[in-house]
Amino acid sequence: MSATPSTATPPKSAIVRKRSRAPRFFVVRAPLPKGASSWALALAFAMPLLVWAALSYLPFLWHPLVLIGDPGDTKHPGQYAYLATGQRVEREVFERRNAELAAAGKRLAQGERVNPVFLPPPHAVARAFYTGFTTPPLRPGEYWLHESLLQSCQVIFWGFFWSALIGIPLGISCGTFALCSRLVEPFIDFVRYMPAPVFGALAVAVLGLGDEPKITIIFIGTFFQMVLVVANTTRSVDPALLHAAQTLGASNRQLLMHVVIPAALPALYRDVRILIGWAWTYLVVAELIGEKSGLSSFLYQQQRYMNFDNVYAGIAIIGIIGLCTDQFLAMVGRLLFPWESGNNRLSRALKSFTRLFASQKRMPASVTTVL
Amino acid sequence: MPNDQLELPSYLHHTDEVKRRLSEIRERPTVMSLSGITRRFESAEGSVTALDTIDFEVRSREFISVIGPSGCGKSTLIRLVAGLDTPTAGEIWIDNQPVTGPGADRGMVFQGYTLFPWLSVKRNVMFGLRMKGISRSAAEKKALEWLDLVGLADFADHYPAQLSGGMKQRVAIARALANEPRILLMDEPFGALDAQTRCSMQSHLLKIWEAVDVTILFITHDLEEAIYLSDRIVVLGAHPGRVMEIIEVPVARARHPDQFLSGHFLATKKRLESLIYDPETHSKRGSERMSPVAA
């Protein structure tokens, strides 16, 4: 008769644990929670910077060398008697010298723990970033940093421009016509294994010391890859689209112009974005052949003077230019190919813009019909 | 005989209305004729005959379906008609002109929609007209008419990626019809759609077909779809693909989903099932076995 109303209070194990509301960051192929995405983006850049700052400013982290402030009694002979003010020596050397001096009862050497000269602290690089642009060149014939930068950008632009101008149409032809593919691709496959820099001496011999050989190196470095990549992208256009167009009466030429090219265009654009990165890789080689020029010659020179803060600033400039170019091109891509990213705000703005022009163009026609 | 079996009429029995309609169709001019179509595929393992001497004719404004088990060469057949493939032997004639390649007189709707993703819905429908050299404004006007017919006028400026599967297929139909083809080839057009969408698309297609002067060659593996839509059904057998029977559908027009349970409909379905699932013993008791309907 002890029938307790067990249904009213279920056993504890049956109570469903309330799901934790905390955001979960490690869910397989799930988007990040709101806000976390931009935080992660900021962290992506902040983390390496923080590591760098920690290594630079926390004296107990790494700092394998000692910067000699006072070499102590330099007259006392010994294995390590060469210490001098302003020298960076290994900590072990410093300690042994002091042991020598202490044993002899002489004045000890003084110094502070520092990093090697090739790891300048962030503030030094930040300062170099600014002073790089404000410091006049050492010798009268040399260029300001912004002039070197402009020169580099010009070499990249022209090298890549010629490469794209010839490479993209050739690649599209190879991806479309079996004959072109057979005629062109085997040889290009052969040439592309030759590293572009090996043509450096030849380019200088033929084209002289100016920018032309440098542009040629960029061209050689990107052109052959471009043809093959573009050809493959063109080949990967869905054949069903071609069949559909054929059953709609498209001629051979119309298939190429109205189906193959527009279908491949967004992917081709992505290819080009990746290949611009390659162009920057070859720039460093190209600028050191013949007459050294551009950003690379600036880097080369600063490295010889051991101005590593300037070197890092120069490298950072390349990174920033690359990132900005890519982001800019990505934005232009969203404008050009609105069907890829959905009907976004940018493309709608562009559409209304083109409609504005279209209506203006149409105006005379409507006027004539009224008349 | 188990007493819960329905007493079905013979699929060969035609009511007077059906008889009249079918004989009227027979009197119409021939739009397409296939004579001795054979397609063999050569490979390292030897040659495979996908289609073996296919013969049949399609009359003007007829709705004809081709049905058969997978691997019977249905898709090969429609690709041959479209001109996307060439037969090993035999000839295909459209309006007494032999088919030599793809052309605008044979519009095609594919299972995979194949809309051009970079063109808006309207531009997709305009595509064939523009290829013919029709001016933009004239093509645009026509495209909007066709979009209106398939009920998508409000989506003219959308991109295909923004549409559902059923809507995409309606655009594809409008795109093919805007070219005013002699024959519309449809290769399992509703195969990728869910059951409900498929059902409404079938009714929609019938309405379009009634409103437009077009002959339709329809490939499917869905028996009910074939019966519901067609005047005649060409049943292909597999290995090699051969015409087993051409069934004149004994179901009255205009068609309605209620007819799915009518005696003539079920009798036709039973006959198709026995032909497709039991090709060896279809004259015996095997034909009464309920076979799973292909999805």
Side-chain angles (χ1 to χ4, degrees), chain A residues 58-217:
Chain A
L58 300 177
F60 51 86
L61 269 182
W62 201 36
H63 287 73
L65 303 182
V66 173
L67 178 65
I68 307 296
D70 171 17
D73 192 344
T74 48
K75 292 203 179 66
H76 179 74
Q79 200 187 342
Y80 304 104
Y82 56 79
L83 292 198
T85 311
Q87 216 177 11
R88 284 169 198 246
V89 296
E90 280 176 34
R91 228 153 67 203
E92 206 185 329
V93 172
F94 178 75
E95 275 155 17
R96 285 198 188 148
R97 174 60 180 167
N98 269 353
E100 277 176 5
L101 290 169
K106 308 280 182 176
R107 190 160 52 86
L108 292 184
Q110 306 283 326
E112 52 172 337
R113 283 175 66 172
V114 289
N115 280 327
V117 70
F118 60 77
L119 187 75
H123 74 266
V125 174
R127 193 179 51 213
F129 204 91
Y130 171 71
T131 54
F133 288 98
T134 53
T135 317
L138 283 176
R139 273 170 286 173
E142 289 174 351
Y143 295 107
W144 289 69
L145 178 56
H146 64 266
E147 285 172 328
S148 314
L149 197 60
L150 192 69
Q151 209 175 10
S152 289
C153 288
Q154 274 174 343
V155 168
I156 288 264
F157 176 82
W158 287 112
F160 199 75
F161 173 81
W162 289 113
S163 169
L165 193 73
I166 306 171
I168 292 175
L170 192 61
I172 290 175
S173 316
C174 287
T176 312
F177 306 112
L179 179 67
C180 289
S181 166
R182 205 74 192 135
L183 276 178
V184 173
E185 283 186 70
F187 184 70
I188 284 185
D189 231 356
F190 164 67
V191 179
R192 78 169 164 136
Y193 283 105
M194 306 173 186
V198 302
F199 295 99
L202 188 67
V204 171
V206 176
L207 296 162
L209 290 173
D211 278 348
E212 290 83 1
K214 303 174 202 307
I215 292 172
T216 309
I217 294 296

Side-chain angles (χ1 to χ4, degrees), chain B residues 128-180:
Chain B
L129 301 169
R130 295 288 288 149
M131 293 301 109
K132 271 188 205 163
I134 291 171
S135 76
R136 173 163 293 180
S137 54
E140 195 170 336
K141 193 163 159 269
K142 251 187 154 176
L144 288 174
E145 283 170 21
W146 283 103
L147 280 175
D148 202 34
L149 184 82
V150 298
L152 287 175
D154 291 343
F155 294 87
D157 290 322
H158 282 56
Y159 284 110
Q162 296 169 301
L163 305 183
S164 69
M167 289 158 94
K168 280 183 201 166
Q169 207 53 298
R170 269 144 75 191
V171 176
I173 292 170
R175 182 178 69 173
L177 287 176
N179 246 5
E180 292 174 10

Side-chain angles (χ1 to χ4, degrees), chain A residues 264-343:
Chain A
L265 220 48
L268 289 181
Y269 189 79
R270 278 193 292 273
D271 290 345
V272 166
R273 267 173 64 191
I274 292 169
L275 282 162
I276 287 181
W278 286 56
W280 279 97
T281 313
Y282 285 110
L283 176 77
V284 178
V285 187
E287 286 185 334
L288 294 183
I289 64 160
E291 193 186 4
K292 291 184 182 60
S293 73
L295 211 51
S296 313
S297 86
F298 173 81
L299 290 180
Y300 184 73
Q301 208 174 42
Q302 295 304 317
Q303 173 220 316
R304 289 185 61 183
Y305 297 153
M306 303 283 267
N307 293 336
F308 283 98
D309 44 357
N310 287 347
V311 171
Y312 282 100
I315 293 174
I317 287 173
I318 296 184
I320 290 167
I321 291 177
L323 187 70
C324 291
T325 319
D326 195 62
Q327 288 303 305
F328 174 73
L329 290 178
M331 198 187 74
V332 172
R334 281 194 292 274
L335 266 173
L336 289 175
F337 315 114
W339 64 91
E340 291 264 295
S341 54
N343 211 353

Side-chain angles (χ1 to χ4, degrees), chain A residues 9-17:
Chain A
T9 51
K12 260 191 183 152
S13 61
I15 296 172
V16 181
R17 271 249 184 115

Side-chain angles (χ1 to χ4, degrees), chain A residues 35-58:
Chain A
S37 182
S38 40
W39 269 108
L41 177 67
L43 270 179
F45 285 90
M47 277 190 307
L49 275 176
L50 279 173
V51 170
W52 183 21
L55 281 177
S56 303
Y57 300 129
L58 300 177

Side-chain angles (χ1 to χ4, degrees), chain A residues 240-241 243-250 254 258-259 262-263 338-339 343 351, chain B residues 79 84 102-103 106 110 114-118 127-128 131 157 159 162 175 179:
Chain A
L241 292 180
H243 295 155
Q246 282 178 301
T247 62
L248 290 166
Q254 285 171 327
H258 294 276
V259 185
W339 64 91
N343 211 353
K351 226 185 213 173
Chain B
R79 285 174 55 81
L84 297 171
R106 284 148 291 139
F110 301 79
T114 64
L115 297 179
F116 304 120
W118 62 92
F127 186 88
M131 293 301 109
D157 290 322
Y159 284 110
Q162 296 169 301
R175 182 178 69 173
N179 246 5

Side-chain angles (χ1 to χ4, degrees), chain B residues 67 198 202 219-227 272 293-295:
Chain B
I67 198 165
R198 187 158 62 225
Q202 288 163 358
I219 302 276
T220 182
H221 57 239
D222 182 334
L223 310 182
E224 293 186 331
E225 183 170 76
I227 304 165
L272 287 176
V293 176

